[in-house]
Amino acid sequence: HLRTVGYWSPGTLGHYVCRLVKSFPFRTVIYIVTIVNIAALAMDHYEIGENWLKMINWTNFICGYIFLAEVVLKMVGYTPALFFTDSFDVFDLILVLVSIPELIDPDPTEDGGSGFSALRGFRLARLLRLADKNRELNMLMREIAEVLRGDVRYVALLMFLCIFIFTVMGVQLFTCKDKTNEECCGSDRCGFDNFGAAMLTVFVVITG
């Protein structure tokens, strides 16, 4: 209920900021910026052109400050005490804090590309924030979070069982099936020629 009405009295600056961050246009802009930022990250690749790299760096720079402004406005509108009661808002704050070093240099193209640029990969986690727009997906994410707060051993066991099942299926279906590659067939490095290599292959596929 406090997130609906806020701590601020009507007519105060904090009250208007609270109404702003809860408004549909504000949330829509944040969703669009999130998608643009992720698209920019996806366009980065090896031996990218200098102009493309500058465009991606400046896009990340601008999006980073928009996300920073979002967090600041939410802390003002909700007040810090209420802000930290929502796990998604805390998640946003962590991502913003991680990306602050990158915001210092909008065009890290010198000195090896700047080690801070690797931190931008954490912004991909903002895809999970889009779940807040879908009620069913939001509920699912919160249920998963509640499970992870409990006994993680059963979650790990379930993941292991899934990997085990697909490993056995892979060995049965794909053992030495690559007849075009003579070096692979019969080798320990062949994806599904033995159980150990098959399990490693399935794990690599799952984790990307």
Side-chain angles (χ1 to χ4, degrees):
H1 178 67
L2 284 173
R3 275 193 169 264
T4 304
V5 298
Y7 277 131
W8 300 102
S9 302
T12 60
L13 176 61
H15 176 73
Y16 290 119
V17 174
C18 184
R19 291 181 57 183
L20 171 65
V21 297
K22 291 187 299 183
S23 65
F24 177 77
F26 180 85
R27 288 184 286 115
T28 302
V29 169
I30 296 301
Y31 293 136
I32 293 174
V33 173
T34 300
I35 294 173
V36 170
N37 190 203
I38 293 172
L41 293 174
M43 288 190 295
D44 196 2
H45 60 274
Y46 181 64
E47 292 185 347
I48 189 173
E50 184 177 351
N51 292 333
W52 275 102
L53 181 60
K54 287 185 177 181
M55 185 193 72
I56 292 174
N57 287 336
W58 278 100
T59 300
N60 289 322
F61 180 76
I62 295 172
C63 291
Y65 272 102
I66 292 176
F67 295 143
L68 177 62
E70 176 201 10
V71 169
V72 172
L73 289 174
K74 283 187 174 181
M75 292 191 72
V76 172
Y78 293 143
T79 71
L82 196 57
F83 177 88
F84 287 101
T85 60
D86 188 277
S87 57
F88 275 124
D89 288 338
V90 175
F91 178 71
D92 284 343
L93 176 61
I94 293 174
L95 292 180
V96 168
L97 293 177
V98 169
S99 64
I100 282 179
E102 182 191 355
L103 299 181
I104 299 175
D105 185 4
D107 190 17
T109 56
E110 300 180 358
D111 299 330
S114 176
F116 291 124
S117 61
L119 297 175
R120 69 181 57 168
F122 286 100
R123 292 189 190 173
L124 294 174
R126 290 190 70 92
L127 276 173
L128 301 176
R129 191 64 174 93
L130 298 179
D132 193 32
K133 188 174 183 180
N134 185 284
R135 182 179 178 182
E136 289 77 13
L137 189 56
N138 190 351
M139 292 176 60
L140 178 62
M141 293 294 298
R142 292 182 183 276
E143 289 175 0
I144 294 176
E146 289 296 327
V147 171
L148 292 178
R149 289 196 188 102
D151 200 336
V152 185
R153 292 177 297 175
Y154 297 108
V155 179
L157 178 61
L158 180 60
M159 294 178 63
F160 175 78
L161 289 176
C162 291
I163 294 175
F164 180 83
I165 291 172
F166 285 104
T167 297
V168 175
M169 290 178 60
V171 171
Q172 296 297 320
L173 296 174
F174 304 116
T175 298
C176 207
K177 295 296 184 180
D178 189 6
K179 301 300 184 182
T180 61
N181 190 347
E182 296 180 357
E183 295 181 357
C184 175
C185 192
S187 170
D188 291 339
R189 288 202 268 179
C190 191
F192 293 96
D193 269 4
N194 58 72
F195 185 83
M199 179 168 284
L200 178 61
T201 302
V202 173
F203 179 78
V204 170
V205 171
I206 291 176
T207 58

